Amino acid sequence: MSDMDDIINNLPEAIRQLIEGKPYETDDMGRSGSQVRIYDDAVLKIEKEQPKLAQMVEIMRWLDGKLPAPKVLATEVKDGYRYLLMSKVKGRMAVDEYYLNRPEELTTLLAEALKMLWSVDISDCPKTLDLSAELEAAKDLVEHGQVNMNNAEPETFGEGGFKDPAELLQWLYDNRPETDPVFAHGDFCLPNIFFEDGKVSGFIDLGDAGIADRWYDVALGYRSLKRNVNGTFGKVYEGVDPDELFRKLGIEPDWGKIRYYILLDELFC
Ligand SMILES: Nc1ncnc2c1ncn2[C@@H]1O[C@H](COP(=O)(O)OP(=O)(O)O)[C@@H](O)[C@H]1O
Ligand SMILES: [Mg+2]
């Protein structure tokens, strides 16, 4: 029996009572070492507890009624693992073949998703993404040689790019952008956004959500759209122009900020 089986069999009593005997599927889309079970109308996510997860639960509760996002049905920490039972978001992920084959609908809905995030009143938002803290965390990874340069965009390191992660980190310290604060998803990539019937049906994976610069989500969303259609993950989808996102948003791309936030994220790959 694997460790994960042990962890799953160690369900907190309150959660066990809510799901016992119900059929589920296991999801292997996630890449964060978490375990996800999908029930008919609920999702159980189990992952190693860390301070960020308690904040995520707070944000999810705060978002109730503000944005389509999973409702917290029950959550508990047991033996170092957080068990979160939440409502299931309906629809299909933005990364579903259905949408990748319908670029017009996909870019319209992604722009809609960003506008929904930006319309959230942040005056009492319980969390702010702090760039200084992000840079400190990145510094820690760089100093411990934990940056995976192979997952980076091809132009980031090497010829014409940065020599190594340390040089990139220094550049990020030297070029901190002005912030235009909005409510940000924090990991605005296609697998974390769901659509149904021509509408945004939900945002999931909210561990990095909070107040951040407007261009943070735009940058990660743009990169995710690009990577999912240009063959990075194997398949090329013709006729998808990631720049369409800016046209749908009705804004001129701020390439300086887009590049900055993508480069920052490269250190966390
Ligand atoms: N509330 C939810 N509603 C529907 N599907 C979900 C929900 N939470 C997670 N999932 C499914 O589980 C997968 C992994 O969950 P996610 O929270 O994105 O984890 P990870 O941090 O591993 O990316 C998602 O891609 C999605 O398919
Ligand atoms: Mg995810």
Side-chain angles (χ1 to χ4, degrees), residues 170-234:
Q170 190 55 52
W171 184 88
L172 291 166
Y173 270 111
D174 294 343
N175 290 278
R176 298 176 54 148
E178 294 272 316
T179 309
D180 172 12
V182 294
F183 183 73
H185 179 283
D187 189 9
F188 189 87
C189 58
L190 270 50
N192 287 337
I193 308 152
F194 281 61
F195 304 140
E196 188 182 42
D197 298 336
K199 291 202 183 72
V200 177
S201 54
F203 298 92
I204 64 161
D205 211 357
L206 291 152
D208 292 311
I211 299 172
D213 183 52
R214 182 182 303 274
W215 290 89
Y216 194 87
D217 279 351
V218 180
L220 298 195
Y222 175 80
R223 181 185 61 182
S224 177
L225 178 59
K226 198 168 91 177
R227 284 183 171 178
N228 277 291
V229 299
N230 72 1
T232 305
F233 303 125

Side-chain angles (χ1 to χ4, degrees), residues 2 47 67 77 105 108 139 141 147 157 177 183 187 235 237:
S2 74
E47 56 194 315
L67 273 185
V77 178
E105 192 173 353
T108 300
K139 185 169 170 226
L141 293 175
V147 176
F157 297 111
F183 183 73
D187 189 9
K235 194 163 167 185
Y237 291 84

Side-chain angles (χ1 to χ4, degrees), residues 1 12 28 87 101 131 150 158 186 189 208 221 228 237:
M1 195 158 70
D28 54 8
S87 63
N101 286 312
L131 185 55
N150 297 327
C189 58
D208 292 311
N228 277 291
Y237 291 84

Side-chain angles (χ1 to χ4, degrees), residues 22-209:
K22 294 189 177 163
Y24 64 86
E25 283 172 20
T26 311
D27 186 282
D28 54 8
M29 261 301 284
R31 45 172 196 141
S32 57
S34 57
Q35 179 73 28
V36 174
R37 277 181 173 189
I38 313 228
Y39 292 86
D40 194 30
D41 54 4
V43 172
L44 175 65
K45 187 170 178 181
I46 307 168
E47 56 194 315
K48 264 216 166 77
E49 174 61 347
Q50 46 171 314
K52 182 171 133 166
L53 296 181
Q55 285 187 319
M56 175 184 73
V57 169
E58 200 186 346
I59 283 272
M60 288 173 77
R61 291 191 167 124
W62 178 80
L63 279 177
D64 195 6
K66 296 185 172 74
L67 273 185
K71 279 190 203 309
V72 178
L73 302 175
T75 185
E76 236 174 87
V77 178
K78 189 177 176 192
D79 298 334
Y81 281 81
R82 175 168 294 268
Y83 297 76
L84 170 63
L85 186 68
M86 59 191 140
S87 63
K88 182 173 162 182
V89 169
K90 300 220 164 49
R92 294 184 168 121
M93 283 192 278
V95 74
D96 194 288
E97 286 268 324
Y98 176 93
Y99 291 108
L100 295 177
N101 286 312
R102 289 168 178 76
E104 173 63 24
E105 192 173 353
L106 174 60
T107 50
T108 300
L109 288 169
L110 282 176
E112 180 61 29
L114 286 166
K115 288 182 187 170
M116 284 166 77
L117 291 163
W118 299 345
S119 72
V120 172
D121 176 1
I122 53 171
S123 51
D124 62 346
C125 176
K127 190 177 154 200
T128 301
L129 269 117
D130 174 3
L131 185 55
S132 301
E134 293 257 317
L135 289 168
E136 281 301 300
K139 185 169 170 226
D140 202 54
L141 293 175
V142 170
E143 284 174 358
H144 290 88
Q146 286 171 345
V147 176
N148 184 351
M149 288 163 69
N150 297 327
N151 284 344
E153 295 287 281
E155 63 275 14
T156 299
F157 297 111
E159 213 162 300
F162 295 93
K163 183 167 64 120
D164 55 20
E167 193 183 86
L168 168 56
L169 180 67
Q170 190 55 52
W171 184 88
L172 291 166
Y173 270 111
D174 294 343
N175 290 278
R176 298 176 54 148
E178 294 272 316
T179 309
D180 172 12
V182 294
F183 183 73
H185 179 283
D187 189 9
F188 189 87
C189 58
L190 270 50
N192 287 337
I193 308 152
F194 281 61
F195 304 140
E196 188 182 42
D197 298 336
K199 291 202 183 72
V200 177
S201 54
F203 298 92
I204 64 161
D205 211 357
L206 291 152
D208 292 311

